[in-house]
């Protein structure tokens, strides 16, 4: 299967994949630490509690700032209709992004939003290389891309969708999202204490009581306005609370590699971490998402063309190292 996928990729991507195999083959022969057997950190992998229930639909029209559109909660939760609060921000959505295809191809713009910012529970896809998006869909379809917490809903939905979508639908969505410019929507705050939080739908939200707690070695990423985000507004913004000193620590790892601990991130992702060719940018992305991917690479649950090199790159990193890298990359301009 991997060979067939490799032949279908553009020449530039095939060259990159070949380079990865040449680099990673000797590297993987070296001694690397055994996989971390610790349980994946709950702050990075929020799972809805068994009694989780969304707020009932009251039938009233909902609104968000700077938009004349209006939707009911039922419409906002329709997996085959992406709310388009700000159509002036983007080109017309392809049908697969706006409506999907029943019964199994959900509208891409529902979870990733109309112009691709996504949220902490999934991924921002705006501005990602089209070839990269296509490859990730192939990896979800083949089972190469999994997660360290299989019960999480978003990866399950992606796997199901990838198996049902046609090549043309994937290509249309990839072309649309790759042409969009990502926006800086995350504010990183270093702190020793954070608002208490709860799982609000595969992501964390701050309680509205004003209660706080020590941050410990966690990133607490929450919407600034929970209702606005739940209404799938692409202008929703987030606060990422991170431990004091973590941004600088992450910068050191990213820029220097900390000696022989890992390689510099900019080697592959570019000097500003905005990506190079088919390699995705990692600047300004959700730190919860970035941590999950690093963790999944290290644990071997995320595989695919670039996974061998990434697994070796993160093999010597601790959870704290990966937390710091996620905090640093989130602080950058995408």
């Amino acid at each position: 299967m991997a060979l067939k996928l490799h032949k279908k990729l553009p020449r530039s991507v095939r060259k990159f994949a070949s380079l990865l195999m040449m680099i990673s083959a000797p590297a993987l022969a070296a001694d690397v630490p055994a996989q971390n057997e610790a349980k994946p950190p709950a702050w990075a992998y929020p799972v809805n509690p068994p009694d989780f229930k969304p707020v009932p639909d009251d039938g009233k029209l909902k609104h968000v700032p700077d938009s004349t559109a209006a939707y009911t909660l039922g419409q906002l939760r329709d997996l085959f209709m992406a709310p388009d609060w700000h159509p002036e921000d983007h080109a017309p959505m392809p049908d697969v992004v706006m409506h999907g295809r029943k019964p199994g191809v959900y509208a891409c713009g529902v979870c990733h939003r109309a112009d691709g910012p996504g949220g902490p529970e999934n991924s921002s896809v705006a501005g990602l290389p089209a070839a990269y998006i296509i490859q990730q869909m192939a990896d979800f379809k083949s089972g190469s891309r999994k997660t360290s917490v299989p019960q999480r809903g978003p990866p399950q939905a992606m796997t199901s969708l990838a198996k049902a979508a046609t090549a043309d639908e994937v290509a249309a969505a990839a072309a649309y999202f790759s042409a969009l410019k990502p926006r800086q929507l995350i504010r990183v705050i270093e702190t020793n204490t954070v608002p208490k939080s709860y799982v609000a739908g595969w992501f964390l939200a701050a309680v509205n009581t004003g209660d706080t707690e020590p941050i410990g070695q966690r990133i607490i990423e929450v919407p600034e306005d929970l209702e606005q985000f739940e209404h799938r507004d692409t202008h929703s913004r987030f606060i990422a609370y991170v431990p004091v000193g973590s941004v600088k620590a992450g910068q050191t790892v990213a820029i220097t590699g900390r000696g022989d601990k890992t390689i510099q991130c900019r080697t592959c992702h570019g000097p500003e971490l905005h990506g190079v060719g088919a390699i995705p940018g990692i600047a300004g992305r959700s730190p919860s998402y970035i941590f999950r991917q690093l963790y999944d690479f290290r644990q071997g649950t995320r595989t695919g063309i670039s996974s061998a090199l990434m697994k070796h790159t993160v093999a010597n990193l601790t959870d704290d190292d990966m937390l710091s890298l996620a905090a640093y990359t989130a602080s950058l301009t995408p």
Side-chain angles (χ1 to χ4, degrees):
M1 175 62 76
L3 181 61
K4 291 180 180 179
L5 292 174
H6 185 266
K7 288 181 176 179
K8 292 179 180 179
L9 293 171
R11 182 179 179 184
S12 61
V13 183
R14 295 201 305 269
K15 289 176 67 178
F16 172 60
S18 299
L19 174 63
L20 290 178
M21 287 187 283
M22 287 189 292
I23 293 174
S24 59
L28 290 175
D31 291 332
V32 295
Q35 290 183 3
N36 189 340
E37 298 299 330
K39 188 176 181 180
W43 63 261
Y45 292 85
V47 174
N48 287 351
D51 59 350
F52 176 81
K53 292 181 180 179
V55 176
D57 182 9
D58 58 10
K60 296 180 180 179
L61 291 174
K62 309 302 178 184
H63 302 270
V64 301
D66 303 318
S67 175
T68 58
Y71 301 94
T72 65
L73 285 180
Q75 291 174 317
L76 293 169
R77 294 168 181 167
D78 185 347
L79 295 178
F80 298 95
M81 188 196 78
D84 196 3
W85 294 106
H86 309 282
E88 69 280 1
D89 286 355
H90 56 84
M93 287 184 276
D95 197 52
V96 68
V97 174
M98 188 168 189
H99 298 293
R101 177 172 52 81
K102 293 182 179 182
V105 182
Y106 311 130
C108 308
V110 170
C111 294
H112 295 287
R113 279 61 176 180
D115 62 358
E121 78 279 19
N122 51 43
S123 169
S124 168
V125 291
L128 290 178
Y132 175 81
I133 295 175
I134 291 171
Q135 182 58 52
Q136 297 316 299
M137 291 296 290
D139 289 347
F140 275 117
K141 182 176 182 177
S142 69
S144 297
R145 183 166 176 173
K146 296 179 181 178
T147 174
S148 298
V149 180
Q151 63 267 39
R152 292 194 77 244
Q156 291 178 351
M158 283 302 304
T159 299
S160 175
L161 188 154
K163 291 179 178 180
T166 67
D168 287 344
E169 288 170 333
V170 172
Y176 170 74
F177 285 123
S178 67
L180 298 168
K181 183 175 177 57
R183 300 186 303 276
Q184 189 162 27
L185 299 173
I186 302 169
R187 180 160 52 104
V188 175
I189 298 177
E190 292 193 339
T191 182
N192 290 316
T193 60
V194 294
K196 286 188 176 181
S197 57
Y198 65 99
V199 180
W202 311 111
F203 63 93
L204 297 179
V207 300
N208 59 8
T209 61
D211 292 338
T212 62
E213 62 186 3
I215 189 170
Q217 286 305 108
R218 301 181 297 165
I219 293 176
I220 303 299
E221 183 179 5
V222 297
E224 288 188 358
D225 185 319
L226 175 60
E227 187 175 76
Q228 182 183 11
F229 178 59
E230 289 181 325
H231 291 173
R232 306 188 187 280
D233 183 4
T234 53
H235 288 186
S236 295
R237 299 185 59 83
F238 306 88
I239 300 174
Y241 297 101
V242 304
V244 174
S246 59
V247 173
K248 181 65 175 179
Q251 181 183 34
T252 299
V253 176
I255 293 178
T256 71
R258 290 273 303 275
D260 59 356
K261 196 165 193 178
T262 187
I263 64 172
Q264 301 173 13
C265 298
R266 60 186 179 184
T267 300
C268 295
H269 293 281
E272 305 298 326
L273 304 186
H274 289 163
V276 177
I279 306 173
I282 55 176
R285 305 191 73 185
S286 160
S288 306
Y289 171 82
I290 289 293
F291 182 93
R292 285 196 298 272
Q293 304 321 302
L294 295 174
Y295 191 95
D296 289 349
F297 278 127
R298 192 185 68 188
Q299 300 303 104
T301 53
R302 177 175 172 176
T303 61
I305 283 182
S306 63
S307 63
L309 180 56
M310 281 302 303
K311 181 174 173 60
H312 185 73
T313 299
V314 302
N316 293 319
L317 297 181
T318 65
D319 285 6
D320 288 351
D321 291 329
M322 295 189 294
L323 181 156
S324 296
L325 276 171
Y328 169 63
T329 56
S331 72
L332 302 175
T333 302

